[in-house]
Amino acid sequence: MLEPDFIEAVRTAVGPDGCTQAADALEEYGTDASKQHGPAELVVRPSTTDEVAAIARLCHQHRVPLTVRGGGTGYTGGAVPALGGVVLTMERFTRILEIDEVNLLAVVEPNVVTGDLQRAVEAIGLFYPPDPASLDRCALGGNIAECAGGPRAFKYGTTKRYVLGLEAVLPTGEVVRTGGKTVKNVVGYDLTQTLVGSEGTLAIITKAILRLIPLPPHRETIQATFAEVDGAVRAVIELVKARVVPAALELVDGASLEAVARYLDDRTLAPEGTGALLLLEVDGLSETVREEAVRVEASCRQAGATTVRHATDAAARDELWRVRRELSPSLKTIAGLKLNHDVVVPKARVPDLFACVARLREELALTIACFGHVGDGNIHVNIMVDPNDSAAVDRARDGEQRLFEEVVRLEGAISGEHGIGLEKRSFMHLALSAEELALMRRLKTAFDPHGILNPGKMFPDAEPATTSD
Ligand SMILES: Cc1cc2nc3c(=O)[nH]c(=O)nc-3n(C[C@H](O)[C@H](O)[C@H](O)COP(=O)(O)OP(=O)(O)OC[C@H]3O[C@@H](n4cnc5c(N)ncnc54)[C@H](O)[C@@H]3O)c2cc1C
């Protein structure tokens, strides 16, 4: 329960229209795409860095939990106010402050929608590659806090490769500026990259300097089908051996294809006998694109592709990508509860990962649909289960534990892009040693001595007070 003098001080800092306790707002800002809910007590909408700093100072002084929110599309409950208190939404920080064509960078406020920055820079021949599938809803601050990735990460890397500098407010209220406008900077510890992927637990990002690159002028999409997942994975290995680095390299397995075909009532999307589909994109100068497309097709054919289709113009490419775009809503038709895990293994271990998934399907009688960024070894393993069938839910929970254990054995990571948040806290001890966790705790304390910023997250012994749908 927040003290009246605290609420009054927040109101004074941000003005009466900068905060609310309306029931519908508390409900809306108490959840995110993970469908977990936390008891939000006050929603605050600051407009300036000074206001953010004032709120942080007040929360620090009064020991009030403070949870930062970007677009609210996180899949692990990162923006859910697990211990109640203040939800600080960055929704008024939506300006692209600068696009610098000479130094190849953009300066942005954190709640610029990712797709909006991409369109703005592409209009002048520049490129901001990180492309999470949520790019028309998520915000750059959330992408930085989660180190978001997407299909293009194989060639272009994830968000961290593009963050040059940050302005951030510490949970104690000080404003810090890390990195800057240069590509090289080795002055002291790299605080910029410490904040990237810190899941809103170390500081509140209020501005970012992002690296841009020239927009590749040509693009070609290739879609190949295979009778088995193994064939598709072999094609990826062949490609790597052929030294081709596609801009995107996505795999969709048979169970996921079947869901899309049923959802869209279009059997052509999952023709009889299709066990997997690869979507690849090559980009660059036209001669390079042509040459690489030929090599991609050869690798797919060598691995036993049953069909290979090419598309060069935007509409035809869009049509080939349709399957991938429709995956999220389609999976919902399989079962009401989706345990969505974005595990990642070294590329060469992807066949072992799929073997593990096949064992879990068989031994635990689970429906599991897989798709994802196979070029990075980052596969979304979706365990689909009826939430009203408690025995099935128990088997699914057993399945996720076994999945994570196997991923760690395969020298992989339990999350490649969605982060830990609330959802994977209890598995952190599988991924990190006691010494590593203790070091991370000391880092957290250095930034946030009272533990007010995004409490209940990431660490296995955090105590959230949440419910889920
Ligand atoms: C349909 C769908 C598809 C998705 N596809 C992908 C994908 O392909 N790749 C991928 O990586 N993710 C994907 N995601 C997950 C999600 O979109 C990403 O994690 C995204 O980066 C979250 O951004 P957001 O602005 O919505 O952040 P939020 O959900 O609002 O917050 C996420 C975390 O960031 C913190 N945060 C937000 N803003 C700030 C800030 N200014 N300062 C400090 N901390 C902050 C929050 O406290 C929270 O811990 C998908 C989600 C959906 C719903």
Side-chain angles (χ1 to χ4, degrees):
M1 185 78 175
L2 299 178
E3 300 290 335
D5 62 336
F6 170 79
I7 297 174
E8 199 40 49
V10 169
R11 204 182 295 278
T12 306
V14 292
D17 72 334
C19 58
T20 177
Q21 288 186 297
D24 56 345
L26 298 183
E27 173 68 23
E28 183 187 344
Y29 291 92
T31 189
D32 68 1
S34 72
K35 298 206 171 79
Q36 299 265 356
H37 299 263
E41 294 170 87
L42 180 65
V43 175
V44 183
R45 299 186 179 95
S47 304
T48 64
T49 300
D50 284 348
E51 288 182 3
V52 172
I55 302 304
R57 256 191 315 274
L58 282 167
C59 289
H60 176 74
Q61 279 159 10
H62 292 257
R63 312 285 200 270
V64 171
L66 172 60
T67 304
V68 189
R69 183 185 180 89
T73 68
Y75 267 147
T76 53
V80 172
L83 297 189
V86 169
V87 175
L88 186 107
T89 164
M90 300 302 286
E91 66 199 41
R92 291 179 170 172
F93 286 72
T94 55
R95 288 177 305 161
I96 297 175
L97 299 169
E98 194 181 333
I99 295 176
D100 181 338
E101 294 184 55
V102 175
N103 291 307
L104 292 176
L105 56 85
V107 183
V108 296
E109 291 186 331
N111 256 48
V112 171
V113 170
T114 310
D116 288 347
L117 175 68
Q118 288 177 340
R119 284 180 283 274
V121 302
E122 283 175 26
I124 54 168
L126 295 175
F127 193 32
Y128 177 71
D131 59 341
S134 49
L135 61 86
D136 281 321
R137 286 163 53 206
C138 64
L140 291 162
N143 292 173
I144 294 167
E146 297 287 358
C147 189
R152 292 182 194 137
F154 184 49
K155 179 168 180 179
Y156 292 105
T158 59
T159 300
K160 67 180 164 198
R161 195 185 284 182
Y162 298 89
V163 186
L164 292 174
L166 295 171
E167 175 187 87
V169 173
L170 301 180
T172 39
E174 297 97 332
V175 179
V176 294
R177 289 176 188 82
T178 72
K181 291 191 169 178
T182 57
V183 173
K184 295 179 175 176
N185 183 338
V186 290
V187 183
Y189 295 132
D190 192 341
L191 294 176
T192 307
Q193 294 300 327
T194 304
L195 294 183
V196 175
S198 63
E199 300 193 19
T201 64
L202 296 182
I204 304 157
I205 297 159
T206 48
K207 201 184 283 180
I209 304 171
L210 301 175
R211 194 162 76 92
L212 306 173
I213 60 176
L215 180 67
H218 293 279
R219 222 170 254 193
E220 182 161 338
T221 301
I222 302 114
Q223 192 192 72
T225 54
F226 297 82
E228 305 283 344
V229 164
D230 284 357
V233 175
R234 267 201 316 280
V236 174
I237 308 285
E238 290 300 330
L239 265 176
V240 174
K241 285 192 192 151
R243 305 290 180 251
V244 180
V245 183
L249 182 37
E250 297 285 295
L251 180 147
V252 184
D253 80 351
S256 308
L257 278 178
E258 185 56 38
V260 180
R262 266 208 317 266
Y263 176 67
L264 297 176
D265 194 19
D266 182 351
R267 292 311 316 170
T268 61
L269 295 174
E272 198 66 31
T274 306
L277 176 144
L278 278 186
L279 269 165
L280 304 104
E281 198 151 276
V282 285
D283 66 1
L285 299 174
S286 61
E287 314 83 74
T288 321
V289 166
R290 204 67 291 280
E291 166 67 25
E292 289 196 335
V294 169
R295 286 207 255 163
V296 165
E297 171 156 359
S299 298
C300 291
R301 297 260 180 225
Q302 205 171 333
T306 45
T307 63
V308 180
R309 296 163 69 193
H310 292 251
T312 45
D313 68 80
R317 284 195 288 111
D318 210 46
E319 181 55 24
L320 292 190
W321 277 99
R322 187 159 147 242
V323 168
R324 178 69 177 85
R325 268 199 321 274
E326 299 289 353
L327 273 170
S328 251
S330 303
L331 291 188
K332 287 186 193 137
T333 64
I334 300 181
L337 178 62
K338 175 170 82 167
L339 303 183
N340 162 8
H341 294 305
D342 64 319
V343 295
V344 54
V345 294
K347 249 187 300 295
R349 313 302 290 269
V350 171
D352 301 300
L353 177 63
F354 276 103
C356 165
V357 169
R359 280 197 303 280
L360 296 178
R361 280 194 186 115
E362 172 88 23
E363 292 168 19
L364 298 174
L366 291 172
T367 301
I368 306 180
C370 298
F371 63 88
H373 321 304
V374 65
D376 304 314
N378 183 194
I379 305 293
H380 295 277
V381 178
N382 300 281
I383 306 179
M384 307 303 304
V385 63
D386 175 358
N388 302 314
D389 180 345
S390 61
V393 172
D394 286 349
R395 290 200 308 280
R397 293 292 174 199
D398 185 21
E400 70 181 350
Q401 168 86 22
R402 285 169 60 177
L403 172 71
F404 289 149
E405 284 169 357
E406 180 65 358
V407 162
V408 171
R409 196 187 68 76
L410 295 174
E411 300 178 274
I414 64 173
S415 175
E417 36 180 48
H418 296 163
I420 300 299
L422 286 168
E423 300 278 328
K424 297 195 182 85
R425 286 174 321 121
S426 55
F427 301 105
M428 282 288 266
H429 66 280
L430 290 177
L432 299 175
S433 69
E435 291 76 13
E436 288 151 2
L437 271 171
L439 179 59
M440 287 191 190
R441 278 202 188 86
R442 291 203 295 277
L443 185 67
K444 166 75 176 159
T445 307
F447 276 82
D448 183 12
H450 295 331
I452 55 138
L453 191 61
N454 215 356
K457 307 291 168 61
M458 204 192 281
F459 293 101
D461 53 2
E463 286 288 344
T466 52
T467 54
S468 61
D469 277 353

